[in-house]
Amino acid sequence: ALLLLMTMTLWRARSRAMAQARRLLALSSFIAFLFLVNKGMEYRDEIARGLLPSTSTFFAMYFTLTGLHALHVVCGLVANGWVLAWRAGDAMASGRIRALSLYWTFVDVVWLIILVLLYLS
């Protein structure tokens, strides 16, 4: 009976952890979507002012770097949606979530580098 109680307690804790991880995935997807909306509005304003990649080397690099970053954010959104929609076992889902956390860390670090090089310089 004690072993059964311990197993059930562990199962409940794992279920709560997975539910929390899924909520955080949904939150990160929402934040990524907001980033893309903001980047789209920023592009629209710059293009309306005539600031195109052909304007200067800076704007060519700016649109290339931020566009590639936005593409990686879109790929992260697709991966988040795949993990959220796919009902895998807890072990498989936790491995996918761990991989996604590494991916998003990479995307965030790249954004910090872009922020320093293009926006703060």
Side-chain angles (χ1 to χ4, degrees), residues 35-75:
F35 171 82
L36 291 173
V37 168
N38 182 57
K39 185 54 55 191
M41 292 184 333
E42 190 175 310
Y43 281 172
R44 185 191 66 212
D45 291 344
E46 288 160 350
I47 290 170
R49 291 187 290 156
L51 302 174
L52 302 170
S54 60
T55 305
S56 67
T57 303
F58 173 80
F59 282 106
M61 292 298 294
Y62 166 78
F63 280 104
T64 300
L65 290 174
T66 58
L68 282 172
H69 179 72
L71 177 65
H72 282 90
V73 171
V74 169
C75 292

